[in-house]
Amino acid sequence: MPFLTQSFVFLTFSLLVTAIVSPRVVHEKRDATPSGWTPVRRAAADVVLPLRIGLTQPNLETLDDYLLEISHPESPNYGKHWSAAKVAEMFRPPPAAVKTVLEWLEDEGLDASRVKLSKGGSWIHANMTVEEAEMLLGTEYHVYQHGESGVEHIACEEKYHLPEHVAEHVDLVMPTLHFDVHMGRKRSIDTSIGQPGAGIVNPKLMGEVESALLNTTSCDEQITPDCLRALYGYDYTPVATDKNSIGIVEYTPVAYLPADMDMFFGNYSPTQVGQRPVVVSIDGGYEQTSFEGFSINGEANLDLQYAMALVGSTQNVTLYQVGDLVEGASFNNFLDALDASYCTYDGGDNTTFDGVYPDSEYDSKDCGTVSLTNIISTSYGYTEALLGPAYIQRQCYEYGKLGLMGVTFLYSSGDNGVAGNGECLDADGAESYSGTRFNPGFPGTCPYVTSVGATQVQPGKTVNDPEVACDTNIYSGGGFSNVFAIPDWQVDAVHGYLNNYSVAYAADVYNSSGISRGYPDIALNGLNYSVISNGLIQLVAGTSASAPTAAAILSGVNDARLAAGKSPIGFINPTIYSSNFSSGFNDITSGNNPGCGTDGFSAQPGWDPVTGLGTLNFPKLLDLWLALP
Ligand SMILES: *[C@@H]1O[C@H](CO)[C@@H](O)[C@H](O)[C@H]1NC(C)=O
Ligand SMILES: *[C@@H]1O[C@H](CO)[C@@H](O)[C@H](O)[C@H]1NC(C)=O
Ligand SMILES: *[C@@H]1O[C@H](CO)[C@@H](O)[C@H](O)[C@H]1NC(C)=O
Ligand SMILES: *[C@@H]1O[C@H](CO)[C@@H](O)[C@H](O)[C@H]1NC(C)=O
Ligand SMILES: *[C@@H]1O[C@H](CO)[C@@H](O)[C@H](O)[C@H]1NC(C)=O
Ligand SMILES: *[C@@H]1O[C@H](CO)[C@@H](O)[C@H](O)[C@H]1NC(C)=O
Ligand SMILES: *[C@@H]1O[C@H](CO)[C@@H](O)[C@H](O)[C@H]1NC(C)=O
Ligand SMILES: *[C@@H]1O[C@H](CO)[C@@H](O)[C@H](O)[C@H]1NC(C)=O
């Protein structure tokens, strides 16, 4: 790229002027070069950098109030969800802030034609040479090389500056100090499903059976759609299918197999043979068949077979298939596709975890191109510790914003009890198999999602007996966040648990402060679902099963509300924790969620960090929600 002499000269001159108007201050600094990286030379002055200035988003501190206003059952504005435009506007950096930054760039000699504001309004982009960026930010750019891979990355040394009056409107400038370079990591199909970040909760394979049970006499051995209907009183024929929608998210390479769907429908829902989900492809997602097997097909077959059979043939189920085989995808890639205002750097994607698009297989990146369904169920999860607080906080806010638009987010709470993804935490908070501190899952601990744990029918018992927390091979992810504060609507529930039932662990084992978000919120059966995968009847266990079942049942509530001219249930947490709704749950009072060398927490009367408020009692919940405006 040629060096733009003219703008450089102008820049040098005007920099002096700005320096008088407002002193330059250090905006970000780092103490050491990240391990593995060595500076090898100054970056050439004429190399062009895609400079991005991230503006501070306003009003996030009032997100909770806005959400309660439309989601609390006693609020006069209950159910009055916001439009996407209103949400974008509320959290868009104010024109005055944008103007300040644009004026600064112009003063620095950057012609307005070279500067662009992102669609979401929170990033300013400008291509500029290294020399221009160095003048602008008072820094030096170097080429750093990664020891093992030899990958080169341009970053600035130590620190960069902004004028004081600009700094207050800016979160960060990239590329500067951040080593968010993609390490050419090969996303191996064998070791890490649903990459990046390997965020899968693979359902556990319990065994294979010869024949499907067609009645509900043996739900302690095999769960079928009829068992779930019987357990939760879910006998419902949708009537507003033209208005309602429900979404299931899968991350490539995970994919359902059409032949498995038909074999399942043949057993349990013959009118649905031949029926398929409505596929919405995100970032090149498709139902790949290059790789097959239970670890690839099990999750999607489970989610779609149960969601589709439970809502029945007349209600479409949307499948959001996210990511291609090259990059894979993460929750951020999915959220980018739902909301342009979150997309790309607006969401603060981190290439360690998030797929980078376009890639060699998909020459685009989906940004706000996908429509929202009323309920979105995801049976994948990470841990708080893996992703780090800044990343999860940003993603969590996005669930809150989508909650303002009336979307219910359901996430499986995890299958390893208090032990996150199987590992626990060291004293310094790092994940390790020898750690002894409980390791909370994510997004379950985000207050703006509804986290779903697992229950089971006890051996020898029937659908008419109380269920217990699932303690057969899988245990409900549950506990207390180390990052997210307790929301108002959960205070009574969490304090009730901590005050009435003595928890035997010290404060260095779990967040016992009583001021952190507890999870899960609800639970549903998660043991021995009869799933067809790869042509076999497989019994499958996990909160992976509980989440799509919850989605299907709650979708029935949405259907009835929509038929009555009301809004969908949206962000449900303030409602389900309200005292009137306690009759809508079957309280689970037995079982626990072991991990980290302990028995974990125990299910108890009232809310508990194993089964939440309990399982869904559909007829009662239907009445309760129909009574709301
Ligand atoms: C809770 O239930 C009571 C009794 O049925 C009713 O009067 C009250 O309006 C309900 N509260 C809400 C917020 O629906
Ligand atoms: C920067 O350059 C890239 C590649 O030429 C181009 O796609 C992009 O639109 C440019 N950005 C701006 C803000 O001009
Ligand atoms: C339930 O189904 C099994 C096999 O599918 C059958 O053996 C049993 O007799 C059935 N029980 C009832 C009560 O129909
Ligand atoms: C679940 O399935 C496994 C495998 O078929 C079986 O051994 C077990 O008895 C079933 N039920 C329970 C409650 O574990
Ligand atoms: C269900 O999806 C199919 C395929 O996209 C579409 O043709 C049909 O209209 C949808 N039905 C309803 C009720 O939305
Ligand atoms: C990406 O996440 C990792 C792990 O949490 C963190 O160390 C790194 O600083 C993040 N990168 C950026 C650019 O935020
Ligand atoms: C416990 O949770 C609170 C609220 O989320 C948080 O401020 C605190 O740092 C957490 N404590 C530990 C030890 O992680
Ligand atoms: C537990 O204690 C709280 C007070 O913290 C009380 O309101 C509640 O009714 C008690 N019982 C249960 C089952 O939570």
Side-chain angles (χ1 to χ4, degrees):
M1 288 276 173
F3 174 52
L4 303 166
T5 316
Q6 217 178 351
S7 75
F8 168 59
V9 172
F10 189 48
L11 192 74
T12 321
F13 168 74
S14 60
L15 203 59
L16 297 169
V17 178
T18 311
I20 297 162
V21 172
S22 151
R24 280 213 297 203
V25 293
V26 173
H27 194 61
E28 277 192 280
K29 69 193 280 282
R30 86 170 153 252
D31 297 329
T33 304
S35 72
W37 293 92
T38 325
V40 288
R41 59 178 182 278
R42 278 291 290 271
D46 60 349
V47 168
V48 174
L49 300 174
L51 207 81
R52 305 180 294 272
I53 301 169
L55 305 176
T56 308
Q57 287 187 67
N59 299 326
L60 285 174
E61 70 285 356
T62 43
L63 177 59
D64 275 324
D65 295 338
Y66 294 138
L67 263 174
L68 278 186
E69 166 89 13
I70 57 159
S71 310
H72 196 283
E74 279 160 30
S75 166
N77 289 321
Y78 178 84
K80 293 184 184 155
H81 301 132
W82 291 19
S83 67
K86 182 172 175 187
V87 172
E89 213 40 55
M90 183 58 71
F91 303 104
R92 171 185 278 269
V98 176
K99 187 161 171 268
T100 301
V101 179
L102 291 178
E103 275 174 4
W104 165 61
L105 291 173
E106 210 173 328
D107 285 350
E108 295 298 333
L110 217 64
D111 191 86
S113 65
R114 293 174 60 197
V115 181
K116 281 183 197 140
L117 186 63
S118 72
K119 206 166 158 185
S122 54
W123 285 81
I124 289 172
H125 299 238
N127 292 326
M128 62 180 76
T129 63
V130 163
E131 188 150 14
E132 286 176 307
E134 288 184 345
M135 298 299 292
L136 192 69
L137 303 172
T139 187
E140 270 182 22
Y141 278 88
H142 290 254
V143 176
Y144 292 79
Q145 194 172 45
H146 190 258
E148 284 162 31
S149 62
V151 168
E152 290 194 339
H153 177 62
I154 294 183
C156 65
E157 196 184 48
E158 207 180 329
K159 61 188 175 205
Y160 66 92
H161 305 78
L162 293 175
E164 211 165 25
H165 75 288
V166 171
E168 63 181 291
H169 302 298
V170 173
D171 271 346
L172 78 173
V173 181
M174 293 168 77
T176 50
L177 301 173
H178 315 101
F179 279 71
D180 58 342
V181 60
H182 205 260
M183 294 303 300
R185 186 156 45 99
K186 290 282 172 289
R187 302 213 153 106
S188 156
I189 295 294
D190 298 333
T191 56
S192 34
I193 309 300
Q195 280 278 24
I200 196 166
V201 179
N202 233 328
K204 275 233 166 58
L205 197 50
M206 301 291 292
E208 200 183 303
V209 288
E210 292 288 308
S211 55
L213 290 183
L214 299 178
N215 53 40
T216 56
T217 52
S218 308
C219 297
D220 58 332
E221 291 168 26
Q222 263 186 50
I223 289 291
T224 65
D226 277 346
C227 289
L228 296 168
R229 288 195 181 94
L231 278 166
Y232 307 123
Y234 185 59
D235 178 11
Y236 185 77
T237 307
V239 290
T241 54
D242 54 332
K243 298 191 188 80
N244 197 14
S245 58
I246 169 173
I248 300 286
V249 193
E250 303 295 345
Y251 290 87
T252 312
V254 171
Y256 82 92
L257 291 173
D260 288 344
M261 298 301 291
D262 285 342
M263 191 171 154
F264 181 86
F265 291 144
N267 286 343
Y268 300 117
S269 188
T271 59
Q272 289 183 275
V273 171
Q275 198 174 5
R276 300 288 175 259
V278 178
V279 181
V280 172
S281 166
I282 293 172
D283 289 339
Y286 65 102
E287 305 94 276
Q288 63 82 24
T289 51
S290 310
F291 304 92
E292 287 186 14
F294 183 77
S295 68
I296 298 286
N297 308 116
E299 180 71 66
N301 282 334
L302 161 67
D303 297 346
L304 290 165
Q305 286 168 14
Y306 276 82
M308 290 179 71
L310 287 171
V311 297
S313 63
T314 56
Q315 173 63 57
N316 277 340
V317 171
T318 293
L319 164 60
Y320 294 110
Q321 184 77 42
V322 196
D324 64 19
L325 279 177
V326 177
E327 277 289 306
S330 67
F331 299 155
N332 270 350
N333 294 114
F334 174 57
L335 293 168
D336 287 344
L338 292 184
D339 181 0
S341 81
Y342 184 76
C343 201
T344 321
Y345 300 100
D346 286 5
D349 284 6
N350 180 323
T351 50
T352 310
F353 307 113
D354 305 319
V356 179
Y357 290 92
D359 67 7
S360 57
E361 197 172 284
Y362 186 63
D363 67 0
S364 184
K365 171 178 174 69
D366 290 317
C367 266
T369 44
V370 162
S371 59
L372 299 168
T373 54
N374 294 326
I375 295 183
I376 295 177
S377 172
T378 305
S379 291
Y380 301 67
Y382 298 87
T383 56
E384 291 184 343
L386 177 74
L387 299 171
Y391 182 100
I392 64 177
Q393 183 65 72
R394 201 154 36 196
Q395 186 176 99
C396 182
Y397 279 136
E398 182 64 12
Y399 296 117
K401 290 189 206 168
L402 293 164
L404 283 173
M405 295 184 222
V407 181
T408 311
F409 275 97
L410 299 173
Y411 273 94
S412 53
S413 73
D415 297 345
N416 296 288
V418 293
N421 54 4
E423 291 174 279
C424 301
L425 300 176
D426 282 346
D428 64 2
E431 294 192 302
S432 117
Y433 285 104
S434 59
T436 53
R437 289 174 55 197
F438 296 173
N439 186 8
F442 180 81
T445 54
C446 168
Y448 309 128
V449 309
T450 301
S451 175
V452 188
T455 56
Q456 68 168 88
V457 177
Q458 284 182 278
K461 302 282 175 153
T462 74
V463 291
N464 301 315
D465 297 304
E467 287 189 89
V468 298
C470 188
D471 66 356
T472 311
N473 291 35
I474 74 107
Y475 308 98
S476 276
F480 300 91
S481 174
N482 289 326
V483 176
F484 297 102
I486 191 169
D488 287 348
W489 40 260
Q490 206 188 27
V491 168
D492 288 348
V494 165
H495 289 183
Y497 183 82
L498 293 175
N499 293 344
N500 297 347
Y501 313 110
S502 57
V503 176
Y505 314 117
D508 60 354
V509 172
Y510 78 109
N511 195 321
S512 62
S513 62
I515 57 160
S516 84
R517 150 90 157 130
Y519 79 111
D521 299 299
I522 59 174
L524 285 162
N525 191 289
L527 180 63
N528 281 358
Y529 277 46
S530 170
V531 171
I532 304 295
S533 198
N534 312 89
L536 302 170
I537 308 177
Q538 306 275 22
L539 298 188
V540 173
T543 55
S544 277
S546 314
T549 297
I553 294 172
L554 291 172
S555 185
V557 177
N558 272 342
D559 179 272
R561 280 185 55 92
L562 291 166
K566 299 183 177 199
S567 60
I569 53 179
F571 173 51
I572 62 173
N573 293 1
T575 302
I576 62 178
Y577 281 85
S578 68
S579 53
N580 277 12
F581 268 65
S582 63
S583 63
F585 294 88
N586 308 305
D587 193 2
I588 305 297
T589 58
S590 174
N592 53 2
N593 58 353
C596 307
T598 73
D599 290 336
F601 297 103
S602 55
Q604 296 283 2
W607 179 87
D608 55 70
V610 187
T611 57
L613 297 164
T615 64
L616 306 181
N617 180 329
F618 177 72
K620 287 193 178 157
L621 285 173
L622 190 62
D623 287 347
L624 287 162
W625 254 304
L626 281 173
L628 292 179

